[in-house]
Amino acid sequence: MAISALQAALIAAWVAIVESRIIGYTLSGFLRFTAVGTGLVIGLIMGNVPQAMIIAATIQLVYMGVIAPGGTTPSETVVATAVAVPVALASGMAPEQSIAVAVPVGLLASYLVSFRFFINSLITHWVDRLAEELNDRGITFASIILPTIITISLFFPSVFVAVYYGAPLIDSFLKTIPASVLHALTVVGGSLPALGIALTLAVIGRRDLMVFYFLAYFVSLILKPLNVNALVYAILGGIAAYLYVALYYRSAFEENNANSENVSSSEEPQYEKESLPQNELKVTEKDLKMTWFRWWLTVEVPHSFERLQALSFQWAIMPVLRKLYGKNPEELKEAYKRHLVFFNTQGTWGGAPILGITLSLEEQRARAIAKGEEAPDPNIINATKVGLMGPLAGIGDSVEWSTIMYLLIAIALPWAKSGSAMGALFPLIFFPVITYAYGYYFLRMGYRLGRESVSVLLGGEKIKTLITGLSTLGLFMMGILTSNYVSVSTPLKWTISGKVFELQAILDKILPGMLPLLTVLLVYWYFTKKGLKVLKVLGWMVVIFFILGWIGVL
């Protein structure tokens, strides 16, 4: 099966759009960090969705747990998938062997992302000058449109060349490889899902809940003959998580029930409607919705090494700043400039409440200036942003990217492994919708409560209960994935007095699934002791399992 120039161009265009991050924070993030979404798109382009999903699901297991603290990842999953899946489809290689293509491609693509951040850094000083001129259209072009064009210009030709010219070369190369080497590559592919699962366990970081991982692993082994699907396991895990948090956080449940009896409509945030006079210095609900959409859409678009998310933060609140300070050009100019300084946090759990708090503080300042009263010090606004971005980023990365996203993928992965498009559609639809909804809620809360909203997010019992429940369910589903998708076994056998002894059968009698479980636990132990040195572990696993497969031990 040959890959046409049109197919290669469509695949390259898809990757370029995803890498530009112009399609929304959690949508583009999901597609960057995961393989199943891109696998579905490639399947549609190449006319073989079932096999493309199977290959993408195999690649996905290697990249479980990959997130981007600071904006960069050790490997670009979307690029790895976009090259490996069409190559595997064109050459007919086994899904496990496609990992040998995906891993080096993903590593190389990460350098292209870094180069993109470097180029974006050059744009920031131009935006400073545009802010001095109060040139909103110029800021939009420099902050949003130009970085998008640059990213597409970098990724489109690179991926096109890799897919169109790389596939036939790899196909020809595979035909010359000995069977023992192909077997070794298959062994490596079967073992590497242990890396992704162990990384997810480490990122969730709840050793106190690891009992649920082991519970799920052995329950899955026991129920394997019944072919129980992932949705049933998710329901079982959800029940286990609910029972655990209901007992452990009983006070939070009692508080919630008590509060629900006393909730009145007056406790809901009340916003001024658009019937307000145009000169009224008030942030309305429409303003909040617009700000949230602009932020969610472009959080990572102008990301740079120098200021990270500063340009997107300023662009998100620019219309509201003009509304508040429009009659005072000097104050408007200063407002633009103070939101172009360094800023970096997690987009929904961090950026959303900080946006709300910032709008509230800017509104107070604008009203005070308009009334001739003493206005809040603008340094307080920046100090508030800087002080909050770190703690909120930590909780956002661990809850949203590490838990919720991979939990949805874990539920859908068996569908992907069976060749169903639902393996991609389920998390692709639910993750952006859920995160967009609660992100807007956090922004409203930040505007209404101000800095008090942070204590709700960081210290509230309800949030702790939610995080514990999600972590419990996440660990449970990782146990299911370990049981079903980490493939490590040995063919070793020997004959004594005419009787054949198979090592794998002996190990299964001692502890079924011992080798896959030990592989995951060893990698997890390394991560907890030495830190998340993913590339180092990946290199060692490839070398060790390749040698063991080549010599016939595995």
Side-chain angles (χ1 to χ4, degrees), residues 59-383:
I59 296 171
Q60 178 64 71
L61 284 162
V62 179
Y63 290 103
M64 294 292 284
V66 171
I67 60 173
T72 58
T73 61
S75 181
E76 284 296 306
T77 309
V78 61
V79 182
T81 308
V83 175
V85 172
V87 165
L89 289 174
S91 63
M93 69 169 61
E96 291 78 14
Q97 295 169 353
S98 68
I99 294 173
V101 178
V103 170
V105 169
L107 292 173
L108 289 173
S110 66
Y111 292 102
L112 203 57
V113 172
S114 296
F115 184 59
R116 167 187 181 264
F117 291 166
F118 167 73
I119 295 177
N120 284 349
S121 297
L122 304 178
I123 298 174
T124 58
H125 300 289
W126 181 25
V127 177
D128 289 337
R129 293 195 295 273
L130 294 169
E132 285 278 357
E133 300 166 3
L134 298 179
N135 186 343
D136 290 11
R137 287 188 177 181
I139 291 172
T140 297
F141 178 80
S143 295
I144 309 302
I145 298 174
L146 184 57
T148 302
I149 294 172
I150 290 171
T151 304
I152 291 174
S153 301
L154 287 174
F155 280 91
F156 181 85
S158 303
V159 175
F160 178 83
V161 169
V163 174
Y164 187 62
Y165 293 103
L169 291 175
I170 294 172
D171 187 24
S172 301
F173 177 69
L174 287 173
K175 293 177 181 177
T176 66
I177 296 179
S180 59
V181 175
L182 287 176
H183 171 73
L185 290 175
T186 303
V187 170
V188 171
S191 67
L192 284 182
L195 171 64
I197 292 171
L199 179 60
T200 304
L201 297 178
V203 172
I204 290 175
R206 294 294 300 269
R207 295 189 210 181
D208 57 317
L209 301 176
M210 280 293 289
V211 62
F212 291 99
Y213 169 79
F214 292 108
L215 172 66
Y217 180 80
F218 290 111
V219 167
S220 178
L221 286 178
I222 295 169
L223 298 181
K224 188 169 287 189
L226 300 179
N227 293 319
V228 177
N229 64 42
L231 187 58
V232 173
Y233 282 127
I235 293 171
L236 290 175
I239 293 172
Y242 177 82
L243 292 175
Y244 176 76
V245 298
L247 293 173
Y248 194 82
Y249 289 98
R250 185 178 301 172
S251 60
F253 277 80
E254 292 173 351
E255 176 190 347
N256 185 53
N257 292 333
N259 289 341
S260 64
E261 296 175 0
N262 300 316
V263 169
S264 65
S265 59
S266 62
E267 293 178 312
E268 290 297 312
Q270 302 296 315
Y271 301 99
E272 302 283 353
K273 301 302 180 183
E274 291 304 308
S275 58
L276 284 168
Q278 290 298 311
N279 60 355
E280 180 72 28
L281 299 180
K282 175 67 181 176
V283 176
T284 65
E285 185 172 8
K286 182 179 179 180
D287 293 329
L288 295 181
K289 288 179 179 178
M290 175 188 61
T291 300
W292 171 237
F293 176 74
R294 289 168 68 97
W295 169 252
W296 180 85
L297 185 68
T298 64
V299 176
E300 294 291 333
V301 172
H303 191 113
S304 67
F305 284 130
E306 185 171 340
R307 308 209 192 153
L308 283 84
Q309 300 166 344
L311 272 62
S312 51
F313 192 96
Q314 187 274 340
W315 187 79
I317 65 173
M318 186 166 64
V320 179
L321 293 178
R322 183 164 285 279
K323 175 181 178 179
L324 295 174
Y325 299 108
K327 294 184 178 181
N328 191 332
E330 287 304 314
E331 283 294 338
L332 179 61
K333 187 185 301 183
E334 291 302 314
Y336 278 15
K337 289 164 62 177
R338 66 172 161 263
H339 293 296
L340 286 173
V341 298
F342 178 90
F343 182 77
N344 187 45
T345 190
Q346 201 274 341
T348 43
W349 289 76
I354 292 175
L355 276 169
I357 294 169
T358 300
L359 291 177
S360 177
L361 293 173
E362 292 287 6
E363 180 187 64
Q364 293 173 35
R365 177 172 171 77
R367 284 184 152 184
I369 292 173
K371 294 177 181 179
E373 300 173 354
E374 183 179 355
D377 188 340
N379 292 325
I380 294 176
I381 299 174
N382 273 335

Side-chain angles (χ1 to χ4, degrees), residues 6 34 52 76 109 189 303 390 429 431 462 474 500 503 543:
L6 177 59
T34 67
E76 284 296 306
H303 191 113
I429 293 171
F431 182 68
K462 294 178 184 178
V500 178
L503 178 57
V543 171

Side-chain angles (χ1 to χ4, degrees), residues 391-427:
L392 291 175
I395 190 173
D397 284 337
S398 61
V399 174
E400 186 167 282
W401 296 119
S402 304
T403 305
I404 297 176
M405 181 174 73
Y406 286 112
L407 175 59
L408 292 171
I409 290 174
I411 294 172
L413 203 57
W415 294 328
K417 287 287 284 185
S418 67
S420 172
M422 282 300 296
L425 293 174
F426 175 77

